[in-house]
Amino acid sequence: MNEQRQITAENTLDSVTRLRIVRELHELIAALDRRVPQVQRAGEVAIAKAASVLRDEALKRIDEIGREPRSKPG
């Protein structure tokens, strides 16, 4: 019975961690979406491109987390 509680606690922690990561990725995406590029500033185009790549990577990671198995094997 104690082993079952431990496995459940590990799965719950794993779920909490997943939720935290997804929430933080959504916050990152929202911050990137709020930012308005100042094209008159030097280097701003490169920053905007990097932000776009980062946004795409965050969305990809959210999708990956959603497809990962919910429990640890074993």
Side-chain angles (χ1 to χ4, degrees):
M1 188 74 102
N2 192 17
E3 185 178 329
Q4 182 62 34
R5 286 185 199 158
Q6 183 178 2
I7 292 169
T8 302
E10 288 174 1
N11 290 343
T12 301
L13 179 61
D14 189 39
S15 295
V16 169
T17 301
R18 289 171 187 267
L19 290 172
R20 181 183 53 80
I21 292 169
V22 169
R23 184 183 69 239
E24 290 174 358
L25 288 170
H26 280 292
E27 289 174 7
L28 172 64
I29 292 166
L32 292 169
D33 288 346
R34 283 191 305 269
R35 188 177 185 283
V36 178
Q38 304 293 321
V39 292
Q40 69 277 13
R41 293 182 184 169
E44 191 69 20
V45 172
I47 292 169
K49 287 180 183 177
S52 177
V53 169
L54 181 58
R55 184 183 192 284
D56 291 345
E57 289 177 5
L59 288 170
K60 179 181 171 187
R61 183 63 186 129
I62 290 168
D63 183 55
E64 290 170 354
I65 289 170
R67 289 186 278 119
E68 288 174 356
R70 296 289 184 216
S71 62
K72 295 179 182 180

